[in-house]
């Protein structure tokens, strides 16, 4: 059976590997990448792995790029494109905050609207959002990224209820700390800020992502399972051992006092100062 999937943000990380793996599983894969140079890179890797991937420039913030895909009939849309803007909510410049939401929220929703309408007309289809554990909770220095993923959680929840009567399914995948380079780049975002470092409240040269990071295989396997239907749960948190921690953190907001430990550094902030970038789980 011919099955077609459109994957955004397929130039790196999860999206890249999912595109290659689905192609090997006989899917017709349309892999959207942000910049033209990624087209050759992904095509070359597909050739090396003996699979066929249709690689196209698709910057989700570019209306012209989105329009080129608005008439596609695909079985599955994987909204995977995203960026992470790290830094304290006190320090992030306005333009960077706006960019965070343009890439992670506005662009994907505009693309989804066009494709979802076609799925609703056919009364079939599936839309998968690559969300994050950061869409459920928030840690220090990832507030902007978490806010964008909280928005995606709300959008996916509403969209799933709206499209149910049209036979269109919606699901999320929620990765935690995985070693794609993405988490460490979030904590390097400050280097592109057009402001004096002395104006920042925090010293970002000495701050790193505060978690040890896992190999990406569980996220790739789970996303493929959701796409193919062998996994039918709406929310899919990986790694699995993070599920209870996420629930505890969410529940804690109901009982935590706002004046707890004022004047003391938050424990995870301290970890950000102690951790080295790119620390794997098994180190």
């Amino acid at each position: 059976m011919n099955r077609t999937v459109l994957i955004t943000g397929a130039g790196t990380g999860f999206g890249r590997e999912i595109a290659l793996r689905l192609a090997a599983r006989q899917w017709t894969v349309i892999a959207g990448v942000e910049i033209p140079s990624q087209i050759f890179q992904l095509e070359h890797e597909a050739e090396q792995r003996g699979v066929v991937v249709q690689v196209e420039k698709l910057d989700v913030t570019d209306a012209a790029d989105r329009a080129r895909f608005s008439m596609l009939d695909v079985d599955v849309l994987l909204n995977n494109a995203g960026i992470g803007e790290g830094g304290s909510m006190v320090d992030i410049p306005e333009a960077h905050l706006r960019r965070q939401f343009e890439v992670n929220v506005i662009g994907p929703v505009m693309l989804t609207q066009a494709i979802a309408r076609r799925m609703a007309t056919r009364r079939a289809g599936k839309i998968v959002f690559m969300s994050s554990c950061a869409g459920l909770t928030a840690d220090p220095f990832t507030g902007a990224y978490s806010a964008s993923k909280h928005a995606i959680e709300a959008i996916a929840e509403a969209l799933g209820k709206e499209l149910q009567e049209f036979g269109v399914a919606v699901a999320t995948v929620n990765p935690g700390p995985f070693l794609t380079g993405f988490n460490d780049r979030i904590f390097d975002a400050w280097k592109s800020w057009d402001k004096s470092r002395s104006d920042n409240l925090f010293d970002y040269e000495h701050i790193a992502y505060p978690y040890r990071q896992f190999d990406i295989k569980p996220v790739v396997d789970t996303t493929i399972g959701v796409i193919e239907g062998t996994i039918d749960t709406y929310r899919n948190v990986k790694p699995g051992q993070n599920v209870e921690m996420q629930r505890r953190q969410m529940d804690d907001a109901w009982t935590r006092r706002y004046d707890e430990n004022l004047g003391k550094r938050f424990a995870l902030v301290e970890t950000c100062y102690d951790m080295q970038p790119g620390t794997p789980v098994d180190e």
Side-chain angles (χ1 to χ4, degrees):
M1 181 174 61
N2 185 33
R3 303 168 296 178
T4 302
V5 58
L6 171 61
I7 304 173
T8 67
T12 59
F14 299 134
R16 185 187 188 95
E17 185 61 25
I18 291 165
L20 293 165
R21 285 271 304 275
L22 284 174
R25 297 168 72 88
Q26 307 306 310
W27 280 76
T28 297
V29 177
I30 305 170
V33 299
E34 181 188 5
I35 54 179
S37 63
Q38 292 174 323
I39 296 175
F40 170 77
Q41 294 168 0
L42 184 49
E43 287 178 338
H44 178 70
E45 186 165 355
E47 183 179 359
Q48 293 294 106
R49 289 169 66 161
V51 299
V52 176
V53 177
Q54 179 183 335
V55 189
E56 303 280 355
K57 179 183 177 295
L58 173 53
D59 177 349
V60 295
T61 67
D62 186 321
D65 277 5
R66 294 196 305 265
R68 291 190 296 109
F69 292 86
S70 64
M71 299 303 291
L72 278 182
D73 283 322
V74 298
D75 298 290
V76 179
L77 168 63
L78 173 58
N79 280 307
N80 173 73
I83 61 170
E85 186 68 35
S88 168
M89 296 308 300
V90 174
D91 291 328
I92 294 175
E94 178 182 349
H96 291 253
L97 184 59
R98 291 185 183 278
R99 175 69 176 167
Q100 178 72 91
F101 278 81
E102 288 291 339
V103 176
N104 286 20
V105 181
I106 306 300
V109 170
M110 294 299 101
L111 177 66
T112 298
Q113 283 184 348
I115 292 175
R117 285 179 179 274
R118 297 184 69 82
M119 288 180 174
T121 299
R122 298 197 321 270
R123 305 190 77 82
K126 186 181 296 179
I127 299 167
V128 182
F129 289 91
M130 188 64 76
S131 181
S132 172
C133 285
L136 307 176
T137 57
D139 288 330
F141 309 121
T142 59
Y145 175 70
S146 293
S148 72
K149 291 301 186 179
H150 275 66
I152 286 298
E153 288 290 319
I155 288 161
E157 183 81 14
L159 189 65
K161 294 169 181 175
E162 292 157 358
L163 294 181
Q164 175 179 304
E165 66 183 275
F166 298 99
V168 179
V170 176
T172 70
V173 179
N174 299 70
F178 285 91
L179 196 52
T180 65
F182 181 84
N183 296 315
D184 297 301
R185 288 194 298 273
I186 288 177
F187 277 73
D188 281 339
W190 63 272
K191 294 177 180 179
S192 65
W193 294 351
D194 186 18
K195 60 186 292 193
S196 171
R197 296 181 186 182
S198 63
D199 291 336
N200 293 325
L201 185 62
F202 291 91
D203 180 4
Y204 297 107
E205 285 196 60
H206 299 99
I207 289 173
Y209 184 70
Y211 295 104
R212 294 177 179 271
Q213 300 178 65
F214 295 84
D215 180 78
I216 69 171
K217 187 176 184 297
V219 176
V220 174
D221 290 345
T222 297
T223 307
I224 289 173
V226 172
I227 287 171
E228 294 190 330
T230 58
I231 296 173
D232 62 3
T233 42
Y234 166 74
R235 176 175 288 154
N236 300 274
V237 172
K238 291 294 166 179
Q241 55 262 50
N242 268 31
V243 173
E244 288 307 314
M245 181 183 73
Q246 292 293 126
R247 287 176 170 164
R248 285 197 304 271
Q249 288 180 327
M250 294 169 76
D251 288 343
D252 179 62
W254 291 93
T255 58
R256 186 179 68 244
R257 299 197 324 269
Y258 63 77
D259 59 354
E260 283 182 14
N261 298 314
L262 287 181
K264 298 180 181 179
R265 177 174 282 173
F266 189 71
L268 200 61
V269 173
E270 187 65 43
T271 304
C272 289
Y273 282 100
D274 295 339
M275 187 71 73
Q276 291 299 309
T279 302
V281 166
D282 59 354
E283 184 173 281

